[in-house]
Amino acid sequence: MLKNFINTCIITIFLSISLNAQNNFKDFKVIEGLWKIENNQENSYEEWSYISDSLMIGRSYSINNKDTVINEFLKIKATNNVFYYSAKVLNQNNAEEIFFKLVKSEYKTFTFENPNHDFPKRIIYNLSQKNKIKACIENDKKKFIILMNRINN
C-alpha cells in the first residue's frame, strides 16, 4: 500500500514537472514578432516565430538597399525540460550553433548562460516594458546593450 502511494507521488511529480516545462515555454511567446533594432544606423531587425510548445526560431538580419543580409539564426528550445537559446552566427565559430542554458526566468526577463564560451557568456532578454526588448550580451569584462521595438504583433 505504501509502495503504491510512493509510486503515485513520484508519477505525479514527474507529470507536474513535464506540464510545468510546457507552461514555462509558453512564457517565451512574448518574444514572438518582428523587432527593429534601435541603437544602430542600419535597418536591422530580429524576428521570432513560435513553432511549438518546445521550439521558437528567430533570425537577425539587416536590409541594405533592397537586399536582406542574414546576420544570425536563433532558436529557443526545450530539451528534456531544460531550455536553451542558440545562436548560429554565419561568420563566427565555423557557423556552428552556440548554446546558452536558461539559468534564470523572472517576470519577462530571461537569462541564458554558457560559461565555457568566450563572448558572450550571458544573453539576457528583458521584456518588462511593453513592446520593447532590452537585450544584454555580456561576459565578465564587456557588455553590449541592444534595444529593440516591436513593429508588429
Side-chain angles (χ1 to χ4, degrees), residues 48-152:
W48 285 94
S49 298
Y50 191 89
I51 304 302
S52 70
D53 287 343
S54 63
L55 177 65
M56 287 190 72
I57 58 171
R59 64 185 182 144
S60 170
Y61 62 94
S62 300
I63 299 176
N64 297 330
N65 297 321
K66 292 184 180 183
D67 292 330
T68 300
V69 178
I70 304 292
N71 301 317
E72 62 185 327
F73 294 100
L74 307 166
K75 285 184 195 170
I76 298 174
K77 65 181 183 176
T79 304
N80 299 323
N81 298 325
V82 179
F83 305 110
Y84 294 95
Y85 175 104
S86 70
K88 180 179 179 180
V89 181
L90 300 181
N91 297 322
Q92 295 178 12
N93 303 306
N94 298 319
E96 293 181 11
E97 274 184 291
I98 304 298
F99 293 89
F100 299 83
K101 182 179 177 181
L102 181 70
V103 295
K104 189 175 183 183
S105 177
E106 294 179 338
Y107 178 75
K108 295 183 182 177
T109 301
F110 309 104
T111 303
F112 300 90
E113 285 189 357
N114 180 341
N116 299 319
H117 191 54
D118 56 351
F119 187 86
K121 290 189 182 297
R122 279 174 300 286
I123 298 173
I124 304 165
Y125 274 60
N126 181 321
L127 292 101
S128 59
Q129 288 188 316
K130 186 175 182 174
N131 295 320
K132 294 187 179 297
I133 294 177
K134 178 182 178 184
C136 296
I137 314 301
E138 62 185 34
N139 66 10
D140 297 329
K141 296 181 181 179
K142 56 183 173 176
K143 176 180 189 176
F144 295 105
I145 295 178
I146 300 169
L147 303 174
M148 295 179 252
N149 290 315
R150 183 185 299 275
I151 61 172
N152 77 355

